[in-house]
Amino acid sequence: MLVTEMLKLSPAAEQRDALLATMRACNAAATRAAEVAFAHHTANKIAVQKLVYADLRAEFALPAQMAIRSIAKACEAYKRDKDIRPAFRELGSVAYDQRILTFKGRDLISIATLNGRILVPVVYQGRWLGVSGTTMRGQADLIWRDKAFYLAVVIEVPEPPGGGEPEGWLGVDLGIVNLATDSTGTTHSGKAVRALRYRSRMLRRRLQKKDTKSAKRLLKARRRKEARFARDTNHVISKALVGKAKDTRTGIALEDLGGIRDRVTVTKAQRADHHSWAFHQLRTFVTYKAAIAGVPVRLVDPRNTSRTCPECGHCAKRNRPRRDSFLCVACGFAGPADHIAAINIGRRAVSHAADDVA
């Protein structure tokens, strides 16, 4: 299982200036390489390297491997969309591989700059770095965020051996009003996240109208507050779901909501909530936490899960008279709509398992 850790660095003042200068040079070089790739209509790194490598080293004073990494960054960006010419932010992330970054234990790194290597302390090592059985994979990205340096590293965490088929499935219905509702009836409300997003939208609107220096400073200071809060909420929910599944020896059944934003039409008032709904992030958190805990996860088709009666199996739009309630028109079975959907999701995981065996 691959997980990404954000390690916080603590460079001295001179080291900080050296790293910032290196990031500026690498991103400027990547932009120049992207111009060449766009002009020659090629995303081939070897071809672009022949055209621009010597110029990058001379103009930006880059070490050899940093010039190579800048070219690779440009080609990868151009390959994603060949109709545009990529341009990179002055202090955008910079990829470091094992040739230009090495760990000296858990709390110190040797990292290349324009003026040679420097030793930078790591003040936060994350959860997995250095844990027995884990290994670091591939390159690491140097990130400058909120006047601090971070290193994003990919770590391979060993998964526990599978324990066979689970004793049951914990169905989980994902939503906007209730971010997650499981088949035992536990609900994780999205009220706090929606309220914060609404307040943030109103504040951004007012500050953007003012267009003063102080307003811009406040906008910059708050720009990631909403995302941090939503991310933390999803971490809390995913941890609770995985913990419950592990304690009850069940698997987790989730809705496969891929492409839902293209399939579903919402009103103008609902548009902001719909497009800021972080269901994929929550699913990602549940998936990797479950893999580490040895809990199986299965994705099921979400169609009609909130319209199908778990007692008699009758499916009809009229079974859902309101968003929050379910009332079967055939047998009279009633309950919260999200709970009913979660029950049906868990049952579909059982039927999928039977199909796999067959």
Side-chain angles (χ1 to χ4, degrees), residues 11-53:
E14 291 183 1
Q15 294 177 329
R16 171 183 174 276
D17 293 341
L19 289 173
L20 289 174
T22 302
M23 294 183 77
R24 290 189 179 97
C26 287
N27 283 295
T31 298
R32 181 65 54 82
E35 292 173 356
V36 173
F38 184 79
H40 289 80
H41 306 291
T42 178
N44 185 286
K45 288 184 284 189
I46 303 301
V48 176
Q49 181 177 328
K50 291 178 180 179
L51 294 168
V52 79
Y53 173 78

Side-chain angles (χ1 to χ4, degrees), residues 20-35 52 56 59-60 62 70-71 73-74 86-92 94:
L20 289 174
T22 302
M23 294 183 77
R24 290 189 179 97
C26 287
N27 283 295
T31 298
R32 181 65 54 82
E35 292 173 356
V52 79
L56 295 187
E59 182 176 353
F60 301 103
L62 292 178
S70 297
I71 293 169
K73 179 177 181 177
F88 303 97
R89 292 181 295 110
E90 182 184 37
L91 293 175
V94 174

Side-chain angles (χ1 to χ4, degrees), residues 277-332:
W277 180 23
F279 68 87
H280 186 269
Q281 184 186 73
L282 178 55
R283 190 178 95 180
T284 300
F285 290 173
V286 169
T287 301
Y288 92 77
K289 284 180 170 66
I292 294 170
V295 174
V297 174
R298 178 162 285 149
L299 300 180
V300 303
D301 187 350
R303 285 179 295 182
N304 296 321
T305 51
S306 61
R307 296 175 178 173
T308 302
C309 179
E311 287 292 313
C312 68
H314 180 68
C315 178
K317 285 186 178 181
R318 290 185 300 157
N319 286 353
R320 187 89 179 268
R322 291 181 298 278
R323 197 219 74 83
D324 295 326
S325 61
F326 177 92
L327 177 61
C328 181
V329 296
C331 71

Side-chain angles (χ1 to χ4, degrees), residues 258-284:
I260 190 171
R261 289 192 174 94
D262 298 325
R263 298 195 307 268
V264 176
T265 302
V266 297
T267 64
K268 185 176 181 180
Q270 297 171 321
R271 199 173 296 160
D273 283 336
H274 185 66
H275 287 286
S276 60
W277 180 23
F279 68 87
H280 186 269
Q281 184 186 73
L282 178 55
R283 190 178 95 180
T284 300

Side-chain angles (χ1 to χ4, degrees), residues 131-147:
V131 175
S132 177
T134 63
T135 55
M136 199 169 72
R137 294 282 298 274
Q139 66 187 31
D141 290 337
L142 181 65
I143 298 170
W144 171 253
R145 177 182 297 168
D146 297 332
K147 298 183 179 180

Side-chain angles (χ1 to χ4, degrees), residues 6-311:
M6 294 291 286
L7 314 182
K8 188 173 184 179
L9 308 182
S10 180
E14 291 183 1
Q15 294 177 329
R16 171 183 174 276
D17 293 341
L19 289 173
L20 289 174
T22 302
M23 294 183 77
R24 290 189 179 97
C26 287
N27 283 295
T31 298
R32 181 65 54 82
E35 292 173 356
V36 173
F38 184 79
H40 289 80
H41 306 291
T42 178
N44 185 286
K45 288 184 284 189
I46 303 301
V48 176
Q49 181 177 328
K50 291 178 180 179
L51 294 168
V52 79
Y53 173 78
D55 293 338
L56 295 187
R57 293 207 61 191
E59 182 176 353
F60 301 103
L62 292 178
Q65 192 59 23
M66 284 188 170
I68 297 296
R69 297 310 312 161
S70 297
I71 293 169
K73 179 177 181 177
C75 291
E76 288 166 6
Y78 177 60
K79 189 182 297 183
R80 286 194 293 268
D81 187 350
K82 295 185 177 180
D83 294 328
I84 62 173
R85 182 177 62 191
F88 303 97
R89 292 181 295 110
E90 182 184 37
L91 293 175
S93 64
V94 174
Y96 279 78
D97 60 25
Q98 295 89 341
R99 296 180 181 87
I100 48 180
L101 184 144
T102 54
F103 276 81
K104 305 294 184 180
R106 289 188 60 189
D107 56 358
L108 194 67
I109 61 168
S110 171
I111 185 169
T113 69
L114 298 180
N115 299 318
R117 282 181 173 264
I118 57 176
L119 295 175
V120 179
V122 181
V123 293
Y124 174 70
Q125 293 87 25
R127 176 182 177 186
W128 296 106
L129 187 65
V131 175
S132 177
T134 63
T135 55
M136 199 169 72
R137 294 282 298 274
Q139 66 187 31
D141 290 337
L142 181 65
I143 298 170
W144 171 253
R145 177 182 297 168
D146 297 332
K147 298 183 179 180
F149 282 104
Y150 297 88
L151 200 64
V153 298
V154 177
I155 298 175
E156 185 173 9
V157 179
E159 297 182 22
E165 191 66 18
E167 297 180 6
W169 291 90
L170 181 71
V172 180
D173 176 68
L174 305 179
I176 296 175
V177 175
N178 293 321
L179 296 179
T181 303
D182 66 39
S183 50
T184 67
T186 301
T187 296
H188 301 274
S189 174
K191 184 177 180 180
V193 174
R194 294 177 69 206
L196 177 65
R197 284 177 174 154
Y198 177 78
R199 289 197 302 271
S200 296
R201 285 200 302 273
M202 295 301 103
L203 179 60
R204 283 196 299 270
R205 189 175 299 173
R206 292 198 301 270
L207 293 175
Q208 286 166 353
K209 285 182 179 179
K210 287 185 177 181
D211 197 31
T212 61
K213 287 185 177 179
S214 60
K216 291 177 181 178
R217 280 198 301 268
L218 185 55
L219 279 170
K220 186 177 180 180
R222 291 181 57 91
R223 69 186 184 277
R224 276 189 284 271
K225 182 176 181 179
E226 178 184 326
R228 286 196 302 267
F229 185 79
R231 183 181 181 88
D232 180 69
T233 300
N234 281 340
H235 269 303
V236 171
I237 294 172
S238 59
K239 183 178 180 179
L241 292 172
V242 172
K244 178 180 284 190
K246 186 175 181 179
D247 291 342
T248 56
R249 298 181 181 179
T250 58
I252 297 177
L254 295 173
E255 302 170 278
D256 186 359
L257 296 176
I260 190 171
R261 289 192 174 94
D262 298 325
R263 298 195 307 268
V264 176
T265 302
V266 297
T267 64
K268 185 176 181 180
Q270 297 171 321
R271 199 173 296 160
D273 283 336
H274 185 66
H275 287 286
S276 60
W277 180 23
F279 68 87
H280 186 269
Q281 184 186 73
L282 178 55
R283 190 178 95 180
T284 300
F285 290 173
V286 169
T287 301
Y288 92 77
K289 284 180 170 66
I292 294 170
V295 174
V297 174
R298 178 162 285 149
L299 300 180
V300 303
D301 187 350
R303 285 179 295 182
N304 296 321
T305 51
S306 61
R307 296 175 178 173
T308 302
C309 179
E311 287 292 313

